[in-house]
Amino acid sequence: MTGITALAIHLPRLRLQRAAMAAAMGWLCPRGETRGTRTLAYWDEDPITMAVAAARACLAQVPEARTAVRALTFATTTPVFAEPQQAALVHAALRLPEATRAQDVGGTMRCGLLALHAALESAEPALLTAADMPLNTPGGTAEMRYADGGVGALVGCGPDLLTYRGGASLSAPFIERYRAADRPLATDWEERWVREEGFLDLVPRAIAEALGKAQLSAADIDHFVLPCVIPGAAKAVAQAAGLGGAKLAQPLDVECGDTGAAHALIMLARAMEDMRPGERVLVAQFGQGATALVLEATDAISAFPAAASAVLADGIAEPNYLKLPIFRGLMPWERGLRGRFPVNEALTTAYRNAEALLGFVGGRSPETGQVQFPPSRLAVAETGLFAETQQPWPLADLGGTVATATADRLAFSRSPPNCYGLIDIPGGARLMMDFTDPDAERLSPGDAVRFVFRIKDLDERTGFRRYFWKAVAAPAPSAAA
């Protein structure tokens, strides 16, 4: 039997307050529930960068898995590109082996759980990433309910946290949410129909089949995970499926909102913090059918970190609703003269330097230990430059220290000011880098930073975007450390 070896989540730090959303649009679209917040991806975040962030956190739990992974799946309903394959960019940023098979999946919000089901059934060392940025009509209820986030899961890469007992996936042409390929906004169908004829019909049947394959009864299940934005639907499904004795996982609707393709596993990551060895969890999700997976906690669950709770708590309240439509490109705005230049990307240069640009790999002199970026055939030394073979030296996980910091309000930025500065990297490298995240302006000389994979530039004429690494404030060391 195989199972889940590691699980980690990523949520954008901006948390858009639903009360602020209601205040901005309430005159046009009166709102009901306005409690809590929903995550809002920063202007340089997208499903690809969120998938990379979650996968990096996942691989950090099992470092040796980086070379063991043989399959990478990127799941999303909000793809950045129709072409090229997005999993290839995630693969490059994570520096996975070239022989790793990479693929994209999508089309339904349960595509992340479907990909996990396939990985568990194949018993092949695999990395699953899922990330979404559901885009909905401004002023609607769905805009409040859905949110942005990503998750990474390792399967069959070492001792399991959760052992796979059995699962089932049912397919049906039930369309509860749709969006044409050339349309940015999704449309949701009537809630009562979706609840009664969709969730309450298909999900219990998938659960019954999964329990049969696991040779378990509903009474054997201790925890139940089912994402659904319709209030009360998860509880109704649990009762219909005979899971009344199982603990219903927190929907996280108040803390972050529903993150689409990633949400079943984000809810699972939070539920795992409360699980004990031997307990069983049933994870289900709906969308053009239903998937249900039965997993059992091993002794290793006792050491599972409360990382999901930490990520949920690490938010910055955002009261300005207009950031959502502007970051998403739904509202034109004055960019000034400096914001009107197109982004040109030489794809040949990008490919030849992919290891440096996407993988953030520099060079290191074996003799002097000097690290430099970008890598070069000319090594740096105190006496000058000299020809010396350098070894590849990954920088993404090293972090650094701010040497200089600038908050530029004249240069164009989608979220002024434009923050950047020199970063000292262990080994002697010094690199000019962009700072990012909502609190980037607070970085000053001497501050510790970590590196994140983000959007560098957007070409709005063609839809192309360049990616590179940026600096964000490193988390403060814990008291235990």
Side-chain angles (χ1 to χ4, degrees), residues 278-301:
E279 290 187 334
R280 301 182 183 100
V281 58
L282 196 151
V283 187
Q285 197 162 14
F286 176 80
Q288 289 72 71
T291 293
L293 307 177
V294 180
L295 301 154
E296 184 172 321
T298 69
D299 290 341
I301 199 74

Side-chain angles (χ1 to χ4, degrees), residues 79-104:
V80 176
F81 298 111
E83 297 179 69
Q85 183 193 56
Q86 292 149 110
L89 299 175
V90 176
H91 171 274
L94 297 175
R95 308 189 313 280
L96 297 178
E98 187 179 45
T100 303
R101 184 179 68 256
Q103 64 174 347
D104 293 344

Side-chain angles (χ1 to χ4, degrees), residues 339-346 412 414 455-467:
R340 297 175 186 173
F341 295 103
V343 175
N344 294 312
E345 175 75 350
F412 170 72
R414 286 176 170 79
I455 298 168
K456 174 68 174 175
D457 292 302
L458 296 167
D459 188 337
E460 296 180 4
R461 300 171 307 151
T462 66
F464 190 79
R465 55 188 66 188
R466 292 194 296 161
Y467 295 92

Side-chain angles (χ1 to χ4, degrees), residues 145 309 439 478:
R145 290 176 172 175
S309 291
D439 53 359
S478 63

Side-chain angles (χ1 to χ4, degrees), residues 422-472:
L422 286 172
I423 302 295
D424 287 328
I425 300 174
R430 173 170 280 193
L431 179 64
M432 179 69 73
M433 300 188 74
D434 289 327
F435 302 163
T436 190
D437 265 5
D439 53 359
E441 193 174 358
R442 298 181 182 179
L443 284 175
S444 59
D447 287 347
V449 296
R450 60 185 178 90
F451 302 130
V452 294
F453 187 72
R454 294 291 178 89
I455 298 168
K456 174 68 174 175
D457 292 302
L458 296 167
D459 188 337
E460 296 180 4
R461 300 171 307 151
T462 66
F464 190 79
R465 55 188 66 188
R466 292 194 296 161
Y467 295 92
F468 189 55
W469 297 79
K470 298 181 180 180
V472 299

Side-chain angles (χ1 to χ4, degrees), residues 248-275:
L248 202 61
Q250 297 179 33
L252 307 180
D253 53 340
V254 174
E255 295 85 352
C256 69
D258 189 299
T259 57
H263 205 59
L265 296 185
I266 287 178
M267 289 175 61
L268 175 61
R270 175 60 189 87
M272 287 168 63
E273 297 178 6
D274 301 325
M275 292 181 66

Side-chain angles (χ1 to χ4, degrees), residues 397-419:
D397 297 330
L398 296 183
T401 305
V402 176
T404 66
T406 298
D408 190 342
R409 295 190 179 275
L410 293 178
F412 170 72
S413 173
R414 286 176 170 79
S415 184
N418 187 16
C419 298

Side-chain angles (χ1 to χ4, degrees), residues 105-410:
V105 297
T108 171
M109 283 198 174
R110 71 180 172 112
C111 61
L113 200 62
L114 276 168
L116 178 61
H117 189 193
L120 290 168
E121 291 284 344
S122 72
E124 180 181 36
L127 173 61
L128 162 70
T129 61
D132 248 340
M133 289 172 55
L135 196 56
N136 299 277
T137 305
T141 302
E143 185 185 47
M144 275 195 171
R145 290 176 172 175
Y146 288 108
D148 311 329
V151 68
L154 280 170
V155 172
C157 293
D160 293 328
L161 294 166
L162 298 173
T163 299
Y164 178 55
R165 294 293 304 270
S169 288
L170 309 180
S171 298
F174 191 105
I175 301 176
E176 80 285 358
R177 179 179 171 90
Y178 62 89
R179 177 175 61 85
D182 61 343
R183 303 293 177 89
L185 303 177
T187 299
D188 290 287
W189 200 239
E190 197 269 327
E191 281 190 3
R192 182 181 174 187
W193 166 262
V194 175
R195 180 181 184 272
E196 301 297 324
E197 298 298 326
F199 275 86
L200 286 173
D201 178 34
L202 287 162
V203 180
R205 285 197 274 145
I207 290 172
E209 185 166 342
L211 288 172
K213 291 185 176 181
Q215 300 182 346
L216 296 170
S217 69
D220 295 320
I221 302 301
D222 302 289
H223 301 266
F224 180 46
V225 175
L226 176 66
C228 182
V229 297
I230 302 174
K235 183 177 181 180
V237 169
Q239 292 174 342
L243 298 173
K247 181 179 180 181
L248 202 61
Q250 297 179 33
L252 307 180
D253 53 340
V254 174
E255 295 85 352
C256 69
D258 189 299
T259 57
H263 205 59
L265 296 185
I266 287 178
M267 289 175 61
L268 175 61
R270 175 60 189 87
M272 287 168 63
E273 297 178 6
D274 301 325
M275 292 181 66
R276 294 176 295 181
E279 290 187 334
R280 301 182 183 100
V281 58
L282 196 151
V283 187
Q285 197 162 14
F286 176 80
Q288 289 72 71
T291 293
L293 307 177
V294 180
L295 301 154
E296 184 172 321
T298 69
D299 290 341
I301 199 74
S302 300
F304 184 68
S309 291
V311 172
L312 286 162
D314 184 29
I316 297 176
E318 178 52 67
N320 191 340
Y321 166 75
L322 288 179
K323 286 190 177 181
L324 192 158
I326 287 179
F327 285 174
R328 296 295 186 276
L330 296 176
M331 177 183 293
W333 57 290
E334 177 52 50
R335 302 161 185 269
L337 291 175
R338 294 176 178 85
R340 297 175 186 173
F341 295 103
V343 175
N344 294 312
E345 175 75 350
L347 297 181
T348 50
T349 301
Y351 174 68
R352 288 171 179 155
N353 296 281
E355 187 176 44
L357 297 176
L358 298 178
F360 202 21
V361 176
R364 178 182 181 275
S365 166
E367 294 186 8
T368 66
Q370 176 69 40
V371 175
Q372 62 189 72
F373 187 91
S376 171
R377 288 178 295 177
L378 295 177
V380 177
E382 292 183 1
T383 56
L385 300 175
F386 61 98
E388 179 188 275
T389 302
Q390 295 187 53
Q391 60 185 164
W393 200 252
L395 305 178
D397 297 330
L398 296 183
T401 305
V402 176
T404 66
T406 298
D408 190 342
R409 295 190 179 275
L410 293 178

